[in-house]
Amino acid sequence: MKNYIANIITAFLICLLLAGCSKKGDIIIGISMGPTHERWSKDISYLTQHLESQDAKVIVRQANGSQVEQARQAKEMIEKEKLDVLIIVPVNSDAAGKLVDYAKSRDINVIAYDRIIKNCDLDCYLSFDNIRIGEIQAEYLTKIKPKGAYALLGGDPGDNNSLLLRIGQMNVLQPLIIKGDIKIVLDENVEKWDDGIAYQIMKDYLTEHDAPDAIVASSDGLSRGVSRALLEFGLGKDVLLSGQDAETDACRRIVEGHQTMTVYKVIESLAASAANMAITLANDDPIPNTLITVNNGTKMVPAVLVSSIIPVGEENIRMTVIADGFIDEKQVFRNE
Ligand code: GAL
């Protein structure tokens, strides 16, 4: 009996000791941010806020859209900081695979944040349903103009989201194309999601052709460039134009009539889920087995697709992005 009690006490003490060794309190999370548009700085602050509120130390590196710089910064973090988890928003969905494998070889867990990383041993992927976002963009425009000439301006070819968005847009457009109601007059992907390149593509197109009836631009960065070209050709309010991200200037274009819609994604929810996942992985706690999985070419990656995706046009801008405090009212309604 004495032995039995001693064993229980020993087991209890070992548990206490192990609990004491649990990561809580000294967790270090690295964030490798590839792109730079307005939304990503919000993602960084939400992520930091949600991680720090759980006592994690956060190290952020911003690669300004350069894949080479992202690789350099991430390698440096992996080698010099004692990271438990690395959260990556890749510039390029393929190239970043090498970074994931390098981090994993040093026992660091890796999360792909909002852009999947292909062909590597990724621990988790969190994003929105990008196919659905593409569908929402095309649905919004085709409801207003179910017939006509449509131009498609997609995102960076190295970002897997560009492909997913295009799949969603075509889910809606293809039946109308087959019916003969819609004709695609321009179809381009824009390197680095760059508004300057989008501007140039649209300007070149308008120099040679009649204006299309609608332009399905995959992001607000792209619609910024497109809108600039349209205005130069005196077409500001005539052509339907989509976007995504609910960026400040896009919201302003919507109330001024120069952009038809954007897609508001509640990125704070995404950041909160990613922060919780990072803490779970850092503590070596099991991740919920209720997650969906997404094939990244190497494995079925446990994934979370956050469902809050809201189409925003002039009619609901106040009750969505403004009411949520996502965008400052004064910056949108500047003439009131
Ligand atoms: C995509 C993302 C969009 C947009 C774009 C450009 O990956 O899904 O929300 O921000 O990048 O940065």
Side-chain angles (χ1 to χ4, degrees), residues 250-319:
C251 292
R252 204 179 294 136
R253 283 193 293 279
I254 289 175
V255 300
E256 290 173 358
H258 297 151
Q259 181 169 329
T260 317
M261 63 88 66
T262 184
V263 179
Y264 167 40
K265 303 185 291 190
V266 182
I267 52 178
E268 181 160 13
S269 303
L270 180 67
S273 304
N276 291 343
M277 187 59 71
I279 301 292
T280 302
L281 291 169
N283 282 325
D284 278 334
D285 289 338
I287 57 174
N289 57 11
T290 49
L291 295 190
I292 59 161
T293 51
V294 171
N295 191 342
N296 80 337
T298 295
K299 66 188 270 199
M300 298 305 286
V301 183
V304 176
L305 295 187
V306 174
S307 60
S308 25
I309 322 171
I310 303 155
V312 173
E314 209 219 326
E315 67 290 351
N316 66 344
I317 200 160
R318 279 187 190 277
M319 62 183 102

Side-chain angles (χ1 to χ4, degrees), residues 35 37 39-40 114-115 130 159 161 193 219 244-245 265:
H37 307 98
R39 66 151 288 195
W40 300 113
D114 207 20
R115 292 179 174 178
N130 288 287
D159 174 0
N161 288 352
W193 297 88
S219 78
Q244 174 191 190
D245 291 334
K265 303 185 291 190

Side-chain angles (χ1 to χ4, degrees), residues 5-22:
I5 291 173
N7 282 344
I8 288 181
I9 292 173
T10 316
F12 180 65
L13 287 176
I14 289 173
C15 283
L16 271 186
L17 204 66
L18 286 177
C21 293
S22 136

Side-chain angles (χ1 to χ4, degrees), residues 55-324:
D55 293 332
K57 180 180 167 203
V58 183
I59 300 166
V60 182
R61 296 285 180 273
Q62 166 60 260
N64 291 320
S66 157
Q67 183 192 312
V68 175
E69 184 57 9
Q70 178 162 49
R72 194 195 62 75
Q73 291 176 341
K75 276 189 189 140
E76 194 179 80
M77 267 196 284
I78 292 166
E79 284 162 9
K80 295 201 177 141
E81 313 288 349
K82 289 192 167 37
L83 298 185
D84 295 292
V85 179
L86 179 58
I87 298 176
I88 303 180
V89 182
V91 173
N92 184 293
S93 303
D94 286 293
K98 283 205 182 83
L99 297 177
V100 177
D101 289 336
Y102 186 48
K104 295 292 293 181
S105 73
R106 298 195 164 219
D107 273 339
I108 298 168
N109 299 292
V110 186
I111 292 176
Y113 182 89
D114 207 20
R115 292 179 174 178
I116 193 132
I117 305 174
K118 292 204 224 140
N119 303 317
C120 58
D121 182 20
L122 197 58
D123 291 294
C124 188
Y125 163 58
L126 295 101
S127 186
F128 296 91
D129 182 345
N130 288 287
I131 293 182
R132 183 66 201 127
I133 293 170
E135 289 171 350
I136 288 174
Q137 292 168 326
E139 275 165 11
Y140 201 102
L141 301 193
T142 52
K143 241 188 198 164
I144 305 172
K145 277 198 183 155
K147 293 183 180 186
Y150 270 63
L152 308 178
L153 273 199
D156 187 280
D159 174 0
N160 193 61
N161 288 352
S162 306
L163 177 71
L164 300 176
L165 292 162
R166 179 54 50 85
I167 291 171
Q169 292 159 0
M170 293 312 287
N171 284 347
V172 176
L173 296 174
Q174 193 63 36
L176 299 168
I177 295 169
I178 291 169
K179 246 171 107 186
D181 288 350
I182 281 180
K183 188 172 168 222
I184 304 298
V185 293
L186 173 75
D187 182 353
E188 296 253 7
N189 276 86
V190 179
E191 293 283 330
K192 295 189 172 194
W193 297 88
D194 184 84
D195 61 324
I197 299 176
Y199 162 74
Q200 198 56 51
I201 292 174
M202 216 51 231
K203 188 176 163 180
D204 291 349
Y205 181 82
L206 294 170
T207 309
E208 302 279 329
H209 307 87
D210 289 340
D213 295 296
I215 301 169
V216 187
S218 289
S219 78
D220 287 342
L222 300 181
S223 66
R224 178 181 311 121
V226 168
S227 170
R228 200 175 127 209
L230 288 174
L231 285 169
E232 279 183 21
F233 282 78
L235 294 164
K237 296 189 177 177
D238 304 325
V239 181
L240 301 186
L241 176 59
S242 69
Q244 174 191 190
D245 291 334
E247 292 194 349
T248 312
D249 63 332
C251 292
R252 204 179 294 136
R253 283 193 293 279
I254 289 175
V255 300
E256 290 173 358
H258 297 151
Q259 181 169 329
T260 317
M261 63 88 66
T262 184
V263 179
Y264 167 40
K265 303 185 291 190
V266 182
I267 52 178
E268 181 160 13
S269 303
L270 180 67
S273 304
N276 291 343
M277 187 59 71
I279 301 292
T280 302
L281 291 169
N283 282 325
D284 278 334
D285 289 338
I287 57 174
N289 57 11
T290 49
L291 295 190
I292 59 161
T293 51
V294 171
N295 191 342
N296 80 337
T298 295
K299 66 188 270 199
M300 298 305 286
V301 183
V304 176
L305 295 187
V306 174
S307 60
S308 25
I309 322 171
I310 303 155
V312 173
E314 209 219 326
E315 67 290 351
N316 66 344
I317 200 160
R318 279 187 190 277
M319 62 183 102
T320 53
V321 284
I322 307 274
D324 275 12

